[in-house]
Amino acid sequence: MGKTSDLTAVQKTIIDTLHKEGKTQKVIAKEAGCSQSSVSKHINRQAKGRKKCGRKKCTSSRDNRTLQRIVTTNPFKNVGEIHKEWTAAGVSASRTTTRRLMKDMGFRCRIPCVKPLLNKKQRKKRLAWAKDKKDWTDAEWSKVMFSDESKFCISFGNQGPRVWRKSGEAQNPRCMRSSVKFPPSVMVWGAMSSAGVGPLCFLRSRVNAAVYQEVLEHFMLPAADQLYGDADFTFQQDLAPAHSAKTTSTWFKDHGIPVLDWPANSPDLNPIENLWGIVKRRRQYARPNNAEELKTTIRATWALITPEQCHRLIESMPRRITAVIEAKGAPTKY
């Protein structure tokens, strides 16, 4: 054997071990079962280190720092825009190099998370609310019925599924996705507690105070009977105009139902948002073609939500409140 590449891993280990013990190359070659020249080359390569092969990099460390600054300054730019700005700064590199370096830096193209926009006053109120509720136990939160409305669309929007296609198939109907200006959609009201979920209500018109009170009468009260029986509970709702209307407040007083005070623009504090997320993710796999199929998919998915899932979400309330306090009222990951 004259090449070090022909040496096995065991032979290389023997050579390294015996060399550290001070053995001669002749003795090492005999023990390892290879030629003395192979031993010599292996030892010399280990001592000097192998030189790097391949094409020399076309960008310097300074160029790379410029690229990182461009991406960090405006992370919503696409690769083409970033590459154009980078080359305008005097860097000579291809678009492929730009994408590869961004990947090497740890940047990945992802759909951005959506967070509510909060002003200073709202953050202050959220923080005060969280501090007031920080000592609530799981038992106290289990007495709260959480509610919310959510909109479901048939269209997947701009961030929908991709398609695998060959060159020249861009206009092939098989590879195209239909796009409509106003996609069919449904608005749904739902409620949940640590005991499970209540019945869904599909809203047919714009939700004003009168419509909302009909929902409370025909869907919230049955949900309360289903989830709490004769036990007392507190109802949670956001600060939508229909919810905070005087007639709605009167309705709650007439029915003897206490309403939980709630900070504005705080979907991250409402565990039912996680259930809507589950339904929407499963809806993507069902691919409904019209509003009726969409409703059927929503009902079926909602029925699969277990009391155990709801209980775990209610148990997350102390963590959500801690996160708001740590963020000083700013939106959290929930």
Side-chain angles (χ1 to χ4, degrees):
M1 292 185 185
K3 297 181 180 179
T4 58
S5 60
D6 294 331
L7 295 174
T8 65
V10 175
Q11 288 175 319
K12 292 178 181 179
T13 302
I14 293 173
I15 294 172
D16 293 336
T17 303
L18 296 179
H19 179 64
K20 290 179 181 179
E21 294 177 357
K23 304 294 184 180
T24 64
Q25 292 185 3
K26 185 175 181 179
V27 173
I28 295 174
K30 187 176 180 181
E31 292 291 332
C34 62
S35 65
Q36 188 173 337
S37 62
S38 295
V39 174
S40 177
K41 290 178 181 179
H42 177 75
I43 293 173
N44 291 335
R45 178 167 293 181
Q46 292 293 99
K48 296 179 181 179
R50 188 171 182 176
K51 294 183 178 180
K52 292 183 178 180
C53 301
R55 184 178 176 182
K56 185 179 178 181
K57 292 184 177 181
C58 64
T59 60
S60 63
S61 298
R62 183 177 181 179
D63 296 334
N64 295 345
R65 288 194 299 271
T66 302
L67 175 61
Q68 185 164 2
R69 185 172 63 252
I70 292 171
V71 178
T72 305
T73 302
N74 194 339
F76 289 94
K77 287 186 175 181
N78 58 41
V79 176
E81 294 170 333
I82 292 172
H83 174 254
K84 185 177 181 180
E85 185 174 345
W86 194 33
T87 53
V91 180
S92 178
S94 67
R95 179 169 173 162
T96 302
T97 299
T98 304
R99 182 188 294 273
R100 177 178 54 78
L101 285 174
M102 289 169 61
K103 187 175 180 181
D104 292 343
M105 292 174 184
F107 292 107
R108 299 292 186 273
C109 186
R110 296 287 186 267
I111 297 174
C113 295
V114 179
K115 297 292 183 181
L117 182 62
L118 297 170
N119 56 40
K120 189 175 181 180
K121 184 178 180 180
Q122 290 171 336
R123 287 197 299 268
K124 187 176 180 180
K125 287 186 176 181
R126 272 168 56 92
L127 180 59
W129 183 90
K131 289 180 177 179
D132 183 59
K133 302 293 189 294
K134 68 178 180 179
D135 295 326
W136 276 36
T137 62
D138 291 342
E140 289 176 292
W141 285 116
S142 66
K143 295 179 181 179
V144 178
M145 180 194 292
F146 291 89
S147 70
D148 190 34
E149 295 93 2
S150 185
K151 186 177 181 180
F152 291 81
C153 297
I154 292 178
S155 173
F156 291 100
N158 295 329
Q159 296 292 348
R162 271 64 169 174
V163 61
W164 290 98
R165 71 187 186 201
K166 296 180 181 179
S167 178
E169 291 186 339
Q171 300 302 318
N172 189 323
R174 179 179 62 82
C175 301
M176 297 178 69
R177 178 170 57 87
S178 300
S179 176
V180 292
K181 189 172 183 180
F182 301 105
S185 62
V186 294
M187 182 68 75
V188 188
W189 177 93
M192 59 90 71
S193 74
S194 62
V197 297
L200 292 175
C201 174
F202 290 93
L203 304 169
R204 297 181 180 180
S205 60
R206 182 175 176 271
V207 181
N208 54 29
V211 172
Y212 184 60
Q213 289 159 35
E214 288 291 322
V215 173
L216 296 175
E217 188 75 36
H218 299 291
F219 290 90
M220 190 276 282
L221 292 180
D225 291 337
Q226 173 187 329
L227 299 174
Y228 292 98
D230 295 331
D232 294 332
F233 72 97
T234 300
F235 185 70
Q236 179 276 337
Q237 59 181 3
D238 60 27
L239 301 182
H243 303 175
S244 56
K246 290 183 179 180
T247 55
T248 303
S249 300
T250 302
W251 186 95
F252 281 110
K253 290 178 182 178
D254 293 342
H255 288 77
I257 300 174
V259 178
L260 180 70
D261 60 302
W262 194 255
N265 289 348
S266 299
D268 53 332
L269 287 170
N270 195 342
I272 199 174
E273 294 289 346
N274 298 78
L275 297 186
W276 293 138
I278 292 172
V279 176
K280 289 179 179 179
R281 284 192 296 273
R282 292 181 181 174
R283 180 264 307 174
Q284 292 181 357
Y285 296 106
R287 301 293 179 90
N289 295 312
N290 52 54
E292 288 304 316
E293 289 184 8
L294 179 58
K295 290 180 182 180
T296 301
T297 301
I298 295 171
R299 287 192 190 97
T301 307
W302 188 257
L304 294 175
I305 296 173
T306 64
E308 290 75 19
Q309 287 177 292
C310 296
H311 185 69
R312 286 196 296 270
L313 287 173
I314 297 300
E315 287 182 330
S316 71
M317 286 304 298
R319 296 194 297 273
R320 295 170 190 258
I321 290 172
T322 300
V324 171
I325 295 174
E326 291 177 350
K328 297 182 179 179
T332 63
K333 64 178 182 179
Y334 292 97

